[in-house]
Amino acid sequence: MRIFMMLALLMLVLAAADRARDPQTWKWLTELNRGNTTPREKIQNRLTPKPMRTAADAPDSFIAAAENASETVAGQTPSQADGPFDPTSRAWRQGWKDVFERLDSRQRLLLFELLYAAEQHLPLPAKRQEPAARALELAGRLWEDYQAAAFQSLVNLPEEDRQEWIDVLRQVNARWSGDVQPSLQAIIDGRTPTENEQLLLSGFQQTLDEIALAQVEDDTLFLRPAEREIWLRLTARARDAAPEDLRRAALGKVGYLQLFKQPDEYRGQPVTVRGTVKFAYRTPASDNCLGVTEHYVLWIMPDGGPTSPVVVYALAMPAGFPAIEASRDGGLTKLHEDVELTGFFLKRGAYLGKDGTYTAPLLIANVPRWNERQLSLQTTSRFAFGPAWLVPTVAAALAIAACCFGLVWWRLRRDEAESRRAAAGQAVPPDLSGLQLRPGTAEALRQLAQDEQDRV
């Protein structure tokens, strides 16, 4: 039992020494001089079911509302808009918003694939050339339909306003038919776009990005069909950008509250997030032109934030990072690793929890930067816990263990010596010099017989 207690005490000392290296153990010391701190704001990220918009309408009635009442369409004079604006840019964007929404998902993806090939100076695969040509032809027909409807809407305008909008529509039509469409056709034909065509296609890509981002909805599933194009676009930007360039272009380090409360401000923008990966899994990617086969889904508890996660879809993990299992029947890999990453914020995505539906900021990133546990202690603590403390900590632990071992050994030796002395004291023969012994039975009988003879 004593040996067992000695080993248990040694293990307790080593565990205490290891715990002492964790800065969280001493965090309360650093907060003594901070006084009273304001309580953290409670985040309500649980979604409550919302009734349908027409739930209170009368039977057999349906009131259609405009998607965006502030949107200026062809037929509205520039003076009627709120504040100054460029009518040509507005008409161009509104026209392509109409065309983009009338294309199906495959045709939208082909447009993005054409623009991606132009951006990366890559030839379009031969098997994609014919479908891309058909998609471009359909987009041209839809553009012509929009132009015809836009010109028709100008009939009832005053002459001065009508002439102004006719000029605007002619300019945007020339931009498509004379600039953008020939540039896209050049990619299909296998011709390398010129520098001017690259600029034109870059502007067209920006227009489609804005339209696709406008279709993103917060508090919905992580990947809706209407968001597939912008998902792939942000994935391509995260993968192809140099890490240092992406960090410099980011809006800085942001916390959970910023992304949760201001999604419109950060949507489609690169941001930097730091935190601890608590859970992760691997999931296959949908068919795409980027060659991406799977995503690493990381559930990160951000630094300085509430106990609510940020979800990151990463394309790869750094070398040496703990293995992440593929998701099977909702299985997760438990982790506790500190990371920092720069990715593109997409939206607040909805996910199913144990007791309801919750939302979490959703980011798309390439490869996170992994801060191994012993290195992250140096950066997250005001104390210099690190490799320099390893030798003194181990030496102190061994010294304490040696003292404990010596104390137990001394106690054992003392008890053993006392036992030996006690045993030695019992072996000494007793002093019988003053003890008077009675005669035995035979001696007593002989003495009795002698006494009887003497009397006779």
Side-chain angles (χ1 to χ4, degrees), residues 271-350:
V271 296
T272 300
V273 174
R274 288 187 59 183
T276 303
V277 181
K278 292 294 187 179
F279 302 98
Y281 65 90
R282 290 187 290 116
T283 183
S286 58
D287 185 28
N288 59 85
C289 63
L290 304 177
V292 177
T293 58
E294 66 178 359
H295 293 281
Y296 292 83
V297 185
L298 312 177
W299 296 74
I300 299 176
M301 294 298 175
D303 289 348
T307 56
S308 299
V310 171
V311 181
V312 177
Y313 276 70
L315 297 178
M317 299 305 295
F321 196 85
I324 298 177
E325 299 295 333
S327 177
R328 295 185 180 90
D329 300 328
L332 300 174
T333 301
K334 293 184 179 180
L335 298 169
H336 192 78
E337 303 296 334
D338 295 335
V339 297
E340 178 179 313
L341 57 91
T342 300
F344 290 91
F345 173 74
L346 183 62
K347 66 175 182 178
R348 279 198 318 252

Side-chain angles (χ1 to χ4, degrees), residues 11-287:
M11 294 176 63
L12 180 63
V13 170
L14 293 177
D18 180 71
R19 183 64 179 171
R21 296 179 63 247
D22 190 351
Q24 297 297 326
T25 305
W26 313 101
K27 187 176 180 180
W28 61 276
L29 289 174
T30 65
E31 297 179 351
L32 288 178
N33 59 348
R34 296 183 182 179
N36 295 328
T37 58
T38 57
R40 291 181 176 177
E41 180 180 359
K42 186 176 181 180
I43 302 301
Q44 180 56 261
N45 65 335
R46 181 174 180 176
L47 292 179
T48 55
K50 296 181 180 179
M52 295 183 63
R53 184 182 60 82
T54 58
D57 293 349
D60 301 328
S61 67
F62 183 83
I63 302 174
E67 179 183 356
N68 189 352
S70 62
E71 188 73 25
T72 302
V73 297
Q76 181 182 12
T77 61
S79 60
Q80 293 174 313
D82 295 333
F85 75 102
D86 184 359
T88 304
S89 299
R90 180 63 64 87
W92 171 261
R93 186 180 183 279
Q94 179 62 30
W96 270 103
K97 180 176 181 294
D98 183 78
V99 172
F100 193 79
E101 291 177 350
R102 296 172 64 184
L103 295 172
D104 62 28
S105 178
R106 292 175 301 174
Q107 293 155 353
R108 295 179 188 179
L109 289 175
L110 284 170
L111 277 181
F112 274 89
E113 188 172 351
L114 280 172
L115 293 171
Y116 181 74
E119 183 182 50
Q120 298 297 319
H121 304 281
L122 298 173
L124 190 68
K127 64 179 181 179
R128 308 290 284 174
Q129 292 177 0
E130 184 178 351
R134 291 197 300 266
L136 183 59
E137 182 182 359
L138 176 59
R141 290 200 304 268
L142 294 176
W143 176 259
E144 292 174 359
D145 293 343
Y146 167 77
Q147 286 288 297
F151 276 108
Q152 185 65 29
S153 67
L154 304 179
V155 173
N156 297 326
L157 287 180
E159 179 63 26
E160 181 180 354
D161 294 337
R162 183 168 64 250
Q163 188 59 45
E164 181 179 357
W165 276 108
I166 287 175
D167 293 339
V168 168
L169 294 177
R170 285 175 177 172
Q171 291 178 34
V172 296
N173 188 50
R175 181 177 178 181
W176 164 250
S177 60
D179 295 334
V180 176
Q181 188 177 27
S183 301
L184 292 173
Q185 187 63 47
I187 303 173
I188 297 175
D189 296 338
R191 181 173 62 83
T192 303
T194 64
E195 183 177 353
N196 183 55
E197 289 174 333
Q198 287 280 2
L199 293 176
L200 292 172
L201 293 177
S202 177
F204 184 55
Q205 176 72 80
Q206 184 177 356
T207 300
L208 294 186
D209 289 347
E210 294 173 357
I211 295 172
L213 282 172
Q215 295 186 346
V216 176
E217 295 182 8
D218 290 314
D219 303 330
T220 58
L221 296 177
F222 281 171
L223 180 55
R224 297 167 51 242
E227 298 166 354
R228 188 181 179 190
E229 295 80 23
I230 193 61
W231 179 286
L232 291 178
R233 171 65 176 157
L234 296 181
T235 300
R237 294 181 62 187
R239 185 189 67 176
D240 298 335
E244 293 299 328
D245 295 341
L246 190 59
R247 277 193 289 270
R248 284 193 296 266
L251 300 180
K253 294 181 180 179
V254 298
Y256 179 90
L257 287 178
Q258 294 168 282
L259 299 177
F260 184 82
K261 290 190 171 183
Q262 299 174 305
D264 293 335
E265 300 295 328
Y266 295 97
R267 198 180 319 281
Q269 301 296 323
V271 296
T272 300
V273 174
R274 288 187 59 183
T276 303
V277 181
K278 292 294 187 179
F279 302 98
Y281 65 90
R282 290 187 290 116
T283 183
S286 58
D287 185 28

Side-chain angles (χ1 to χ4, degrees), residues 408-422:
V408 174
W409 180 82
W410 175 74
R411 289 291 302 272
L412 292 175
R413 296 285 296 175
R414 188 187 67 175
D415 293 346
E416 185 180 355
E418 291 179 355
S419 300
R420 284 199 298 267
R421 285 196 297 271

